[in-house]
C-alpha cells in the first residue's frame, strides 16, 4: 500500500439538512492522490448526499470543499466535471441508441465547418484510444444498447478519463456485474491509481473493499465516524463502526428441523434460459441457489412463480402436480416470491406501506368487494411490528423508506398471503448490514414455522451461512446439489464455472 | 417521545399530500369568487343549475377516463361512444315504440360492449391504449353514421326526453345522475378491492402482477366501466337535445381528459381521485360559463381553457417537487 502525502480533495465541516432533518452533519474527508478511498455506511448514512454535494448536484448548508487547494463553491455539475471530478452512477446514465463514441463525447462533440457539422471520425478515433487504454474490446461505433452492463460501466470510466478526471467516484459499481467483470474493473482501478487518479469507492460488499481500498471512511446517521487505513481495520471493527454496535455472528443459529417434501421441481426446461433443473425443498429447510450472473437463477424462480413460462418439466407441490400460469395461481398454491428487482417487481411506490403489505392478500379483507379497513389495518400493523419495519406510520409511502425497510415491506406482503414455500431472490441486495442480519433472522424464524425456503444469492457467504443444501448452476445447467457439509466457497465456485 | 414524532411525521405528511387536491379546490373557489364579483348573474341558483347540468355530461366521461388514466391507460374513443350509444338509444326511443327502459338499456349495453372491445384489444394485443382507442374512436364514429344513415334521429318519446330535460323536486335529472355516479365511482375507487387494484396497476404493473393481481381482468373492467359511463353521457346528451346526432360528442374525450388532469390525475398512472376530477369538470364548466356571461367569444374561451390545463399541471409539478424537497 502506498500513501501519498499530497491530498487532492479536502472536505471540512460539511453539513446539509432537508426540511429540518440532518442528512449530513459536520462531515470531513481527506483524499490523497492515487488513492482508493472507500466510503462506507449503512443505507441512510449520508453517502449519497455527500457525493451529490461533491459533484455539484446539491448545495451544502455549511462547510468547505478544497480541490487541489482551491475552494469549490457554488459550482454546478458542469463546473465540477471540468475541474476533474467525475462520478459513475449506480444506475448507469447512457443514451442506448447512440454509439459508444457518441456517448463518451456527449455534450463535447467534435465539430468542423463553423462548429455546426459533427465530426464522427474524430471522436471515433479518440474513443478507440480511450477504449484501448482501459482494455475494453468493443468498437466505438457499436450502439450502446448492445453492450453488457459491465461494458457500459467501462465506457463511463472511459468518459471520465476523457474528461481528465482526477477524482472518480464509483457508486456501487459491482452491483450488477459478474465476478469476472469485477476482476477487470479492479484491474482498471489499479491502473488509474498508478496514473495518480483518486477513486472514491462506495460499496456494501466487504470483500471488495478489502481487495481494492487503501483507506476507509465511515459515516453513520449523517455523521463522520472515522477514517482508517484498510490494512489496520479488521472486518469486525469496521462493522462496529458502521452499525454502532457489535454484531458477533452475521448468520444466526438455526433451530428448525427438516419435514416433508413440500416442493419438487422436476426436469424443468426453458430453451436458452435453463436446462433440466431438478430439486426438492422440504418443510423447514433452506435450499440455496448459487451461480454466476446469467446462470439462470432468477429465470428458474420466475418460472416457478408463473411470471415466465417454461417449455417442459413439472412442478409438484406436496405430491400433486400443479399447473401455474400466473403469479395468481402460484400464490393460491402457497408459493411466495420476493424478486431481486425490488423497484421493478417488488413494491408500488405511490401506495402506502399498509396498501403494499396487504396487496397480495387483500381478498381476505373484503366483503362484497368492499375493503374492510379495520381488518386490513390490523394485519398491516401486526406485520409492521413483527418485521420491525421502520416507517413514520402505515400510511407512509414506500418510496420514502430505506432499502432494507422496503425489502421488509415486500417480504411482509408475501408472508401475509400465508405461503408454504417462499422464494427469496437476492433478499439482501443493496441493503445495509443491520437490515441484512434481521432478514437472516427472519429466514430462520420462517423455517422454524415449517415454511420451505429457496434463497437465491450472489453472495457466497450468505448462501453458505443460510442454506441446508445448495443447488449450483452454470450457464443454465444444474452442475451440483451440495449438502451443507460439502459446500465451501471453493467447491461452489468450481461448479459455478464448470462448463 | 417516539410517539410524538410519529404523530408529527404523520400530520405533516398528510398536509403535504392534501395540498395537491386543495390547490385545485382553492383555485376553483377563487375563480368563483372573482366571477361573482364581476358579474352578479354568476352566483344565482338558476345559473348554477345551468352550469351543473352542462357539466354533468363531461363529468360522467371524466369519471370513466379517470379510472382508465389511473391504470396508466387512456381512452380517446369517449366522444364516439357518446355518439353510438346516443344513436342506438334514439333509434329505439320513438313514441309508442318501446317503454323508455328499452332504449336506455340498449344504449348502456352498446357502451359496455364498446368499452369491453377496447379492453379486449388492449389486453390481448399489447398495443398501447392510445393507439387502440384512436382506432376505435374512428370505428365508433363510422358506426354512428352507419346506424343513423348519416341523418339525425328525431321524434323521440316524452319519457325519453325527460332523462335529459326533466327534473325531480326542481332538481334537473342530469344533476341527480351526476351525483349518484360521483358517489358510486368514488366508493369504487376508494373502498373496493377493484379500486385498490386500479391504483396498484397504475403505480407499478409488474409488481401488481407479482402480487397475484389479474392485471388483464382489472383493465377489462376499467375500460368496460368507462364505456358504460360514456353510454350514460350519450343517453343524457341525446335526451337533452331530443335528437340522436351521429356527429355528437366529437372532441368530448379531450374535455374529459382535461378535467381529470386538472383534478390532479397523473397521466403516468397511479394517482388521482374522483373528487379532483369532479372539481376539474366544474372548473371547466364555471370558466366557460363565466366567459359566456362576460360576453367573451368562444374563440378566446378555447385559448383560456388550454392555458388552464397547462397551468394546472405545472402547478401540480411544483407542488410535488416541493413535497419531495
Amino acid at each position: 500500500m502506498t500513501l501519498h502525502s499530497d491530498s487532492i480533495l479536502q472536505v471540512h465541516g460539511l453539513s446539509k439538512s432537508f426540511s429540518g432533518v440532518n442528512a449530513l452533519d459536520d462531515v470531513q474527508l481527506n483524499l490523497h492522490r492515487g488513492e482508493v478511498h472507500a466510503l462506507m455506511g449503512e443505507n441512510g448514512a449520508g453517502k449519497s448526499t455527500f457525493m451529490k454535494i461533491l459533484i455539484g448536484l446539491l448545495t451544502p448548508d455549511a462547510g468547505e470543499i478544497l480541490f487541489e487547494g482551491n475552494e469549490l463553491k457554488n459550482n454546478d455539475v458542469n463546473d465540477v466535471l471540468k475541474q476533474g471530478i467525475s462520478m459513475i452512477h449506480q444506475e448507469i446514465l447512457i443514451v442506448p441508441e447512440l454509439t459508444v463514441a457518441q456517448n463518451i463525447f456527449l455534450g463535447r462533440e467534435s465539430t468542423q465547418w463553423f462548429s455546426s457539422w459533427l465530426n464522427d471520425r474524430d471522436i471515433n478515433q479518440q474513443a478507440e484510444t480511450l477504449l484501448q487504454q482501459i482494455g475494453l474490446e468493443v468498437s466505438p461505433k457499436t450502439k450502446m444498447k448492445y453492450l453488457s452492463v459491465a461494458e457500459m460501466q467501462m465506457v463511463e470510466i472511459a468518459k471520465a478519463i476523457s474528461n481528465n478526471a482526477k477524482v472518480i467516484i464509483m457508486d456501487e459499481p459491482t452491483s450488477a456485474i459478474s465476478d469476472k467483470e469485477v476482476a477487470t474493473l479492479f484491474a482498471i482501478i489499479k491502473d488509474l491509481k498508478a496514473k495518480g487518479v483518486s477513486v472514491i469507492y462506495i460499496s456494501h460488499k466487504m470483500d471488495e473493499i478489502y481487495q481494492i481500498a487503501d483507506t476507509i471512511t465511515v459515516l453513520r446517521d449523517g455523521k463522520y465516524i472515522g477514517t482508517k487505513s484498510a490494512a489496520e481495520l479488521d472486518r469486525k471493527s469496521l462493522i462496529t463502526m458502521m452499525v454502532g454496535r457489535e454484531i458477533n455472528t452475521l448468520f444466526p443459529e438455526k433451530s428448525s428441523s427438516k419435514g416433508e417434501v413440500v416442493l419438487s421441481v422436476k426436469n424443468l426446461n426453458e430453451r436458452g434460459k435453463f436446462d433440466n433443473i431438478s430439486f426438492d425443498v422440504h418443510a423447514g429447510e433452506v435450499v440455496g441457489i448459487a451461480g454466476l450472473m446469467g446462470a439462470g437463477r432468477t429465470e428458474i424462480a420466475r418460472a416457478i412463480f408463473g411470471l415466465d413460462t417454461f417449455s417442459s418439466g413439472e412442478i409438484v407441490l406436496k405430491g400433486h402436480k400443479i399447473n401455474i400460469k400466473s403469479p395468481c395461481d402460484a400464490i393460491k398454491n402457497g408459493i411466495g416470491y420476493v424478486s431481486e428487482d425490488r423497484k421493478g417487481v417488488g413494491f408500488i411506490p405511490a401506495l402506502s406501506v399498509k396498501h403494499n403489505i396487504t396487496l397480495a392478500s387483500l381478498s381476505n379483507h373484503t366483503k362484497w368487494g368492499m375493503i374492510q379497513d379495520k381488518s386490513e389495518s390490523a394485519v398491516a400493523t401486526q406485520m409492521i411490528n413483527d418485521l420491525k419495519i421502520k416507517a413514520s406510520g402505515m400510511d407512509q409511502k414506500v418510496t420514502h423508506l430505506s432499502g432494507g425497510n422496503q425489502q421488509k415491506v415486500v417480504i411482509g406482503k408475501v408472508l401475509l398471503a400465508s405461503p408454504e414455500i417462499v422464494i427469496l431472490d437476492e433478499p439482501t441486495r443493496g441493503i445495509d448490514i443491520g437490515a441484512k442480519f434481521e432478514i437472516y433472522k427472519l429466514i430462520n424464524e420462517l423455517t422454524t414455522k415449517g415454511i420451505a425456503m429457496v434463497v437465491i444469492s450472489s453472495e457466497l457467504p450468505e448462501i453458505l451461512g443460510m442454506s441446508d443444501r445448495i443447488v449450483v448452476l452454470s450457464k443454465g445447467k444444474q452442475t451440483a446439489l451440495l449438502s451443507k457439509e460439502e459446500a465451501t466457497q471453493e467447491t461452489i465456485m468450481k461448479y459455478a464455472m464448470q462448463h | 417521545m417516539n410517539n410524538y414524532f410519529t404523530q408529527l411525521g404523520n400530520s405533516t405528511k398528510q398536509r403535504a399530500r392534501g395540498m395537491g387536491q386543495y390547490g385545485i379546490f382553492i383555485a376553483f373557489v377563487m375563480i368563483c369568487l372573482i366571477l361573482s364579483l364581476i358579474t352578479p348573474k354568476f352566483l344565482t341558483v338558476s345559473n348554477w343549475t345551468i352550469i351543473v347540468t352542462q357539466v354533468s355530461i363531461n363529468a360522467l366521461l371524466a369519471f370513466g377516463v379517470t379510472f382508465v388514466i389511473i391504470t396508466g391507460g387512456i381512452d380517446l374513443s369517449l366522444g364516439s361512444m357518446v355518439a353510438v350509444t346516443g344513436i342506438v338509444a334514439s333509434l329505439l326511443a320513438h313514441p309508442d315504440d318501446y317503454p323508455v327502459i328499452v332504449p336506455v338499456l340498449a344504449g348502456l349495453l352498446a357502451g359496455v360492449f364498446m368499452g369491453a372491445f377496447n379492453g379486449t384489444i388492449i389486453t390481448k394485443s399489447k398495443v398501447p391504449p392510445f393507439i387502440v382507442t384512436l382506432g376505435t374512436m374512428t370505428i365508433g364514429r363510422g358506426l354512428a353514421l352507419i346506424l343513423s344513415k348519416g341523418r339525425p334521429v328525431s321524434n323521440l318519446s316524452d319519457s325519453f326526453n325527460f332523462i335529459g330535460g326533466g327534473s325531480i323536486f326542481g332538481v334537473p335529472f342530469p344533476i341527480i345522475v351526476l351525483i349518484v355516479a360521483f358517489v358510486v365511482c368514488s366508493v369504487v375507487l376508494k373502498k373496493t378491492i377493484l379500486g385498490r387494484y386500479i391504483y396498484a396497476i397504475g403505480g407499478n404493473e409488474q409488481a401488481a402482477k407479482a402480487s397475484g393481481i389479474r392485471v388483464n381482468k382489472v383493465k377489462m373492467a376499467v375500460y368496460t366501466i368507462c364505456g358504460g359511463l360514456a353510454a350514460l353521457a350519450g343517453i343524457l346528451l341525446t335526451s337533452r337535445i331530443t335528437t340522436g346526432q351521429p356527429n355528437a360528442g366529437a372532441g368530448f374525450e379531450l374535455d374529459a381528459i382535461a378535467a381529470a388532469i386538472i383534478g390532479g390525475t397523473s397521466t403516468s398512472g397511479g394517482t388521482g381521485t374522483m373528487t379532483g376530477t369532479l372539481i376539474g369538470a366544474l372548473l371547466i364548466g364555471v370558466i366557460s360559463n363565466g366567459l359566456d356571461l362576460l360576453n367573451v367569444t368562444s374563440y378566446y374561451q378555447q385559448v383560456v381553457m388550454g392555458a388552464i390545463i397547462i397551468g394546472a399541471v405545472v402547478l401540480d409539478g411544483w407542488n410535488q417537487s416541493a413535497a419531495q424537497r
Side-chain angles (χ1 to χ4, degrees):
Chain A
M1 199 189 70
T2 48
L3 261 186
H4 301 263
S5 55
D6 54 335
S7 59
I8 182 160
L9 184 72
Q10 284 177 304
V11 178
H12 302 290
L14 204 65
S15 297
K16 172 84 185 169
S17 63
F18 298 100
S19 48
V21 181
N22 279 334
L24 277 186
D25 185 10
D26 197 16
V27 165
Q28 51 171 294
L29 180 79
N30 191 358
L31 182 68
H32 295 276
R33 266 181 225 280
E35 172 189 53
V36 177
H37 198 126
L39 187 63
M40 311 246 349
E42 299 193 273
N43 287 341
K47 291 168 300 187
S48 333
T49 311
F50 188 11
M51 293 303 110
K52 277 182 187 160
I53 292 174
L54 271 189
I55 62 168
L57 271 175
L58 290 173
T59 341
D61 299 337
E64 66 171 358
I65 302 169
L66 292 173
F67 182 65
E68 297 191 299
N70 303 316
E71 186 168 5
L72 279 183
K73 215 176 176 184
N74 304 326
N75 281 295
D76 69 5
V77 184
N78 276 322
D79 296 333
V80 175
L81 205 61
K82 271 183 202 144
Q83 301 234 25
I85 302 180
S86 280
M87 178 153 175
I88 320 275
H89 292 266
Q90 189 178 1
E91 274 141 28
I92 298 167
L93 310 165
I94 52 135
V95 188
E97 290 293 335
L98 293 184
T99 68
V100 169
Q102 284 163 349
N103 266 286
I104 292 178
F105 291 97
L106 197 62
R108 301 172 292 138
E109 285 78 3
S110 169
T111 51
Q112 55 197 2
W113 295 351
F114 312 107
S115 2
S116 56
W117 201 261
L118 284 173
N119 187 348
D120 265 346
R121 190 184 298 164
D122 180 42
I123 62 165
N124 282 338
Q125 276 169 3
Q126 287 191 52
E128 186 88 58
T129 333
L130 280 166
L131 294 176
Q132 268 170 10
Q133 216 177 322
I134 60 165
L136 179 62
E137 285 165 7
V138 296
S139 158
K141 292 175 198 161
T142 317
K143 274 194 183 173
M144 206 67 178
K145 63 177 176 184
Y146 298 120
L147 271 55
S148 72
V149 177
E151 287 170 336
M152 290 178 190
Q153 228 160 33
M154 304 290 172
V155 172
E156 292 257 18
I157 294 173
K159 187 173 177 175
I161 295 172
S162 78
N163 263 320
N164 292 319
K166 293 164 192 158
V167 173
I168 301 181
I169 302 165
M170 299 188 186
D171 186 6
E172 300 260 5
T174 60
S175 61
I177 67 176
S178 73
D179 291 359
K180 205 175 142 195
E181 291 163 333
V182 171
T184 320
L185 176 71
F186 284 3
I188 293 173
I189 293 179
K190 280 183 183 137
D191 198 40
L192 289 171
K193 216 173 114 171
K195 287 177 183 142
V197 176
S198 312
V199 175
I200 299 179
Y201 193 93
I202 301 176
S203 175
H204 283 298
K205 298 183 185 167
M206 294 270 171
D207 290 332
E208 286 177 5
I209 297 296
Y210 281 104
Q211 267 184 59
I212 197 82
D214 303 312
T215 318
I216 301 173
T217 288
V218 177
L219 301 183
R220 185 172 74 229
D221 301 329
K223 291 194 176 67
Y224 172 80
I225 301 299
T227 301
K228 293 266 167 70
S229 139
E232 291 163 15
L233 184 66
D234 62 56
R235 283 174 193 232
K236 212 173 146 190
S237 333
L238 173 57
I239 293 174
T240 312
M241 277 173 86
M242 283 165 62
V243 296
R245 64 193 152 86
E246 263 183 67
I247 292 182
N248 287 320
T249 44
L250 191 51
F251 302 104
E253 206 51 46
K254 280 186 64 166
S255 59
S256 66
S257 57
K258 203 158 130 180
E260 299 280 296
V261 175
V262 180
L263 174 79
S264 295
V265 175
K266 292 183 179 168
N267 307 318
L268 211 61
N269 281 300
E270 170 69 16
R271 272 241 321 257
K273 284 184 177 170
F274 49 83
D275 189 14
N276 212 9
I277 306 295
S278 302
F279 60 88
D280 291 345
V281 193
H282 296 255
E285 181 192 38
V286 178
V287 171
I289 300 186
L292 303 175
M293 285 277 297
R297 297 167 305 181
T298 297
E299 287 78 1
I300 293 170
R302 287 178 62 98
I304 296 174
F305 190 62
L307 273 167
D308 294 328
T309 52
F310 53 91
S311 41
S312 69
E314 287 181 5
I315 295 169
V316 180
L317 199 72
K318 289 181 174 169
H320 302 284
K321 191 189 163 192
I322 52 169
N323 193 6
I324 293 172
K325 286 194 180 128
S326 70
C328 188
D329 298 339
I331 291 171
K332 276 187 191 146
N333 278 299
I335 303 176
Y337 173 60
V338 176
S339 163
E340 49 151 7
D341 185 0
R342 198 157 52 229
K343 263 189 198 153
V345 192
F347 62 89
I348 293 163
L351 290 187
S352 65
V353 172
K354 174 172 100 178
H355 291 177
N356 265 288
I357 222 164
T358 57
L359 196 59
S361 55
L362 199 56
S363 48
N364 298 341
H365 310 289
T366 53
K367 225 182 226 169
W368 300 305
M370 306 285 280
I371 297 166
Q372 306 298 301
D373 191 51
K374 262 189 196 161
S375 94
E376 188 194 2
S377 299
V379 292
T381 312
Q382 179 73 43
M383 191 50 86
I384 289 169
N385 290 336
D386 285 355
L387 300 186
K388 300 188 189 72
I389 296 171
K390 280 180 213 140
S392 67
M394 63 181 174
D395 294 322
Q396 191 179 13
K397 288 196 176 147
V398 180
T399 338
H400 300 132
L401 302 185
S402 71
N405 282 305
Q406 289 175 343
Q407 184 70 313
K408 285 186 195 168
V409 169
V410 179
I411 295 177
K413 174 181 79 179
V414 169
L415 294 182
L416 275 180
S418 17
E420 291 176 82
I421 303 149
V422 176
I423 306 170
L424 298 175
D425 195 350
E426 300 283 3
T428 64
R429 175 181 283 174
I431 68 178
D432 60 58
I433 199 144
K436 268 185 186 175
F437 184 67
E438 286 185 34
I439 286 181
Y440 297 145
K441 272 205 310 208
L442 179 67
I443 293 174
N444 281 351
E445 280 169 33
L446 294 174
T447 50
T448 313
K449 283 182 192 158
I451 292 177
M453 307 280 300
V454 176
V455 175
I456 299 173
S457 176
S458 301
E459 290 184 42
L460 287 180
E462 184 170 296
I463 284 278
L464 287 165
M466 294 309 302
S467 318
D468 297 306
R469 289 183 302 144
I470 299 164
V471 174
V472 189
L473 304 177
S474 170
K475 295 187 175 165
K477 290 202 174 64
Q478 185 172 339
T479 49
L481 180 55
L482 304 169
S483 69
K484 200 179 178 82
E485 293 72 35
E486 295 169 293
T488 61
Q489 297 221 8
E490 289 72 28
T491 44
I492 293 179
M493 278 320 283
K494 190 183 89 193
Y495 287 113
M497 308 223 273
Q498 189 178 324
H499 295 297
Chain B
M1 194 65 180
N2 222 335
N3 255 336
Y4 169 71
F5 277 117
T6 312
Q7 278 168 9
L8 191 73
N10 267 341
S11 62
T12 45
K13 275 273 148 49
Q14 271 157 10
R15 234 178 291 144
R17 203 184 322 139
M19 268 312 282
Q21 253 189 58
Y22 290 145
I24 183 69
F25 185 68
I26 291 164
F28 174 69
V29 170
M30 274 173 52
I31 287 169
C32 288
L33 217 75
I34 294 166
L35 283 173
S36 56
L37 288 177
I38 300 175
T39 155
K41 273 181 273 177
F42 178 75
L43 207 62
T44 57
V45 173
S46 63
N47 189 45
W48 270 85
T49 312
I50 294 170
I51 294 176
V52 180
T53 312
Q54 279 173 345
V55 159
S56 60
I57 286 164
N58 184 30
L60 288 174
L61 295 171
F63 294 155
V65 86
T66 299
F67 286 122
V68 171
I69 296 177
I70 295 174
T71 64
I74 195 83
D75 191 344
L76 298 178
S77 64
L78 291 172
S80 296
M81 289 199 281
V82 165
V84 173
T85 55
I87 292 293
V88 167
S90 60
L91 285 172
L92 300 168
H94 297 304
D96 307 325
D97 260 7
Y98 302 99
V100 68
I101 190 77
V102 173
V104 170
L105 280 183
L108 283 174
L109 217 64
V112 164
F113 177 79
M114 289 176 77
F117 181 77
N118 277 334
T120 310
I121 306 284
I122 287 163
T123 52
K124 298 284 177 219
S125 72
K126 308 283 174 212
V127 174
F130 185 91
I131 294 165
V132 172
T133 58
L134 191 64
T136 52
M137 171 173 105
T138 313
I139 294 173
R141 188 60 63 192
L143 283 178
L145 288 162
I146 294 167
L147 288 171
S148 65
K149 303 191 177 69
R151 287 189 297 270
V153 182
S154 50
N155 185 26
L156 308 182
S157 71
D158 286 347
S159 49
F160 185 79
N161 288 340
F162 175 84
I163 300 168
S167 31
I168 296 173
F169 300 122
V171 183
F173 197 66
I175 296 184
I176 296 171
V177 173
L178 170 71
I179 292 169
V180 172
F182 170 69
V183 171
V184 172
C185 289
S186 297
V187 168
V188 167
L189 195 57
K190 279 286 168 215
K191 300 283 180 197
T192 68
I193 194 163
L194 176 67
R196 182 71 55 77
Y197 286 177
I198 287 171
Y199 280 115
I201 290 170
N204 183 347
E205 191 171 325
Q206 286 304 312
K209 196 179 166 201
S211 302
I213 297 174
R214 297 201 184 274
V215 172
N216 285 350
K217 254 185 167 173
V218 175
K219 284 189 179 172
M220 274 296 292
V222 160
Y223 284 95
T224 308
I225 293 173
C226 190
L229 284 162
L232 216 51
I235 293 163
L236 275 183
L237 178 69
T238 308
S239 164
R240 205 176 80 206
I241 59 178
T242 65
T243 329
Q245 287 279 4
N247 290 318
F252 278 22
E253 57 278 348
L254 299 182
D255 279 347
I257 294 166
I261 291 173
I262 291 172
T265 305
S266 154
T267 45
S268 47
T271 54
T273 60
M274 287 299 160
T275 315
T277 298
L278 178 66
I279 295 173
L282 284 172
L283 188 72
I284 292 175
V286 160
I287 287 171
S288 100
N289 172 271
L291 295 176
D292 272 343
L293 292 180
L294 296 171
N295 293 322
V296 179
T297 65
S298 64
Y299 306 155
Y300 285 98
Q301 289 191 20
Q302 296 197 16
V303 175
V304 173
M305 211 61 81
I308 285 170
I309 295 170
I310 297 172
V313 178
V314 169
L315 273 178
D316 194 46
W318 284 348
N319 256 338
Q320 276 181 19
S321 58
Q324 272 164 23
R325 234 180 289 129

